[in-house]
Amino acid sequence: MEFGFLGLGIMGKAMAINLLRHGFKVTIWNRTLSKCDELVQHGASVGETPATVVKKCKYTIAMLSDPSAALSVVFDKDGVLEHINGKCYIDMSTVDADTSSKISETIKAKGGYFLEAPVSGSKKPAEDGQLIILAAGDKALYDEVLPAFDVLGKKSFFLGEVGNGAKMKLVVNVIMGSMMNAFSEGLTLAERSGLNPGTLLDVLDLGAISNGMFKLKGPTMLQNSYSPAFPLKRQQKDMRLALALGDENAVSMPVAAAANEAFKKARSMGLGDLDFSAVHETLKAPDHSS
Ligand SMILES: NC(=O)C1=CN([C@@H]2O[C@H](COP(=O)(O)OP(=O)(O)OC[C@H]3O[C@@H](n4cnc5c(N)ncnc54)[C@H](OP(=O)(O)O)[C@@H]3O)[C@@H](O)[C@H]2O)C=CC1
Ligand SMILES: O=CCCC(=O)O
């Protein structure tokens, strides 16, 4: 099975390498061409534009930063639409439902097939083929590409009409972003009140709120180490999109709104390219209270 792959950032690179390792043929494209070099070593071919990739491959996956990138790669000159007739496009980027629907409707109107399939799980699960895939759209296409999803993920969900995958992903990430802020406040409170925050991690891990994120990020946060697995600017994008979904559905989300403010503050401090756990740094501003 041959796949096109557009977008070789943290996630796209790991996912495309995984497909190559499992015997899929992969033709790649990335806006910054130099990022293709490493994948060529793994056996990938390079397409000059998104249009040439789609022309060559029956199936093309995209893993792009945000709604504006997802739209640009489809609608701009030399974009996906130019050769989409009869071809299949699977957008795994985290975007809002409106963006996904706009892409879907246009692709279908031009004779193509569309599936949205955002993922839960970060850099390591992407490297290990342990993502959780939240697909929606064309069910026949979903069934066709399951062999690839089985390589990329540990579990795939088919959620019905286009938009449901995007919404599910945003709901998951708004919970995650809010949890990260509560966790960060707790670590800081432990430290400032004279407790050993390492012991707090052990206590948390034994109780009802033990979870993978605390386990993975806690030790590195205590070392002020924020090598990006999930860049903070992407988490803030997801908070923004999830809050907009809350607006549309008249859901009051004060916890998420406060978490979003913390991520915005972190971005304003120049931390956007670090891991989203760097929101922890916002609590370290000088304290003039005493
Ligand atoms: N990192 C993570 O843990 C997870 C991320 N996600 C989601 O996956 C997607 C990718 O994330 P991630 O890999 O971390 O992000 P990165 O910032 O590492 O990669 C972003 C990718 O988008 C490309 N891109 C950005 N703007 C444009 C544009 N205007 N036109 C064309 N290409 C563009 C970049 O190209 P270039 O190299 O030229 O900049 C790069 O390939 C995002 O939607 C994110 O929310 C989902 C689950 C986990
Ligand atoms: O969108 C990014 C999600 C990161 C994760 O699920 O760990």
Side-chain angles (χ1 to χ4, degrees):
M1 222 172 167
E2 177 161 15
F3 277 85
F5 206 108
L6 312 178
L8 303 172
I10 293 172
M11 295 297 285
K13 175 182 154 187
M15 293 160 72
I17 288 177
N18 237 342
L19 289 173
L20 287 161
R21 278 201 189 117
H22 285 83
F24 290 89
K25 285 187 183 165
V26 183
T27 299
I28 52 175
W29 172 86
N30 193 67
R31 180 182 62 174
T32 307
L33 199 61
S34 57
K35 289 195 190 165
C36 295
D37 295 348
E38 189 182 339
L39 272 85
V40 170
Q41 310 290 321
H42 288 266
S45 311
V46 180
E48 281 176 13
T49 64
T52 54
V53 172
V54 169
K55 187 175 182 188
K56 182 177 174 200
C57 306
K58 181 173 179 191
Y59 307 101
T60 297
I61 292 174
M63 193 55 165
L64 300 158
S65 52
D66 56 20
S68 126
L71 290 167
S72 158
V73 164
V74 171
F75 288 94
D76 286 359
K77 184 173 176 305
D78 297 325
V80 166
L81 283 186
E82 291 190 11
H83 293 292
I84 199 65
N85 187 19
K87 299 299 178 81
C88 304
Y89 190 62
I90 302 121
D91 193 347
M92 304 188 77
S93 322
T94 305
V95 298
D96 56 299
D98 282 353
T99 297
S100 205
S101 297
K102 186 172 175 194
I103 292 172
S104 171
E105 278 157 27
T106 312
I107 283 179
K108 284 196 289 185
K110 291 204 173 270
Y113 304 88
F114 180 77
L115 194 66
E116 63 177 5
V119 300
S120 206
S122 192
K123 184 179 176 197
K124 182 81 168 56
E127 288 169 349
D128 296 344
Q130 292 292 304
L131 296 169
I132 301 154
I133 295 170
L134 308 171
D138 189 316
K139 177 67 164 65
L141 175 54
Y142 172 79
D143 290 336
E144 272 178 62
V145 297
L146 266 179
F149 284 175
D150 287 344
V151 161
L152 298 173
K154 62 180 174 189
K155 171 84 182 166
S156 298
F157 291 84
F158 183 77
L159 300 168
E161 64 185 35
V162 169
N164 286 349
K167 289 180 201 169
M168 181 66 85
K169 172 63 186 165
L170 293 177
V171 171
V172 171
N173 271 28
V174 80
I175 295 171
M176 189 176 77
S178 301
M179 274 174 66
M180 175 53 81
N181 276 277
F183 183 46
S184 173
E185 287 177 5
L187 289 176
T188 305
L189 180 61
E191 210 158 17
R192 297 253 183 99
S193 62
L195 296 173
N196 179 341
T199 308
L200 171 65
L201 294 184
D202 293 339
V203 172
L204 287 172
D205 196 36
L206 289 166
I209 58 168
S210 165
N211 68 80
M213 185 177 81
F214 291 179
K215 230 180 165 103
L216 184 69
K217 304 288 183 185
T220 48
M221 287 165 75
L222 293 185
Q223 291 165 5
N224 309 319
S225 168
Y226 309 108
S227 171
F230 181 34
L232 188 143
K233 63 187 174 190
R234 307 269 173 261
Q235 170 70 83
Q236 197 268 313
K237 172 258 304 182
D238 294 347
M239 299 304 285
R240 172 170 59 80
L241 298 178
L243 286 166
L245 186 61
D247 282 355
E248 280 166 36
N249 291 281
V251 176
S252 174
M253 299 174 70
V255 174
N260 185 40
E261 289 304 315
F263 287 119
K264 281 160 61 183
K265 181 174 176 189
R267 282 185 63 189
S268 78
M269 290 165 64
L271 307 175
D273 289 323
L274 297 181
D275 190 68
F276 76 119
S277 52
V279 74
H280 193 43
E281 292 295 310
T282 61
L283 298 172
K284 294 185 185 166
D287 179 7
H288 302 295
S289 60
S290 52

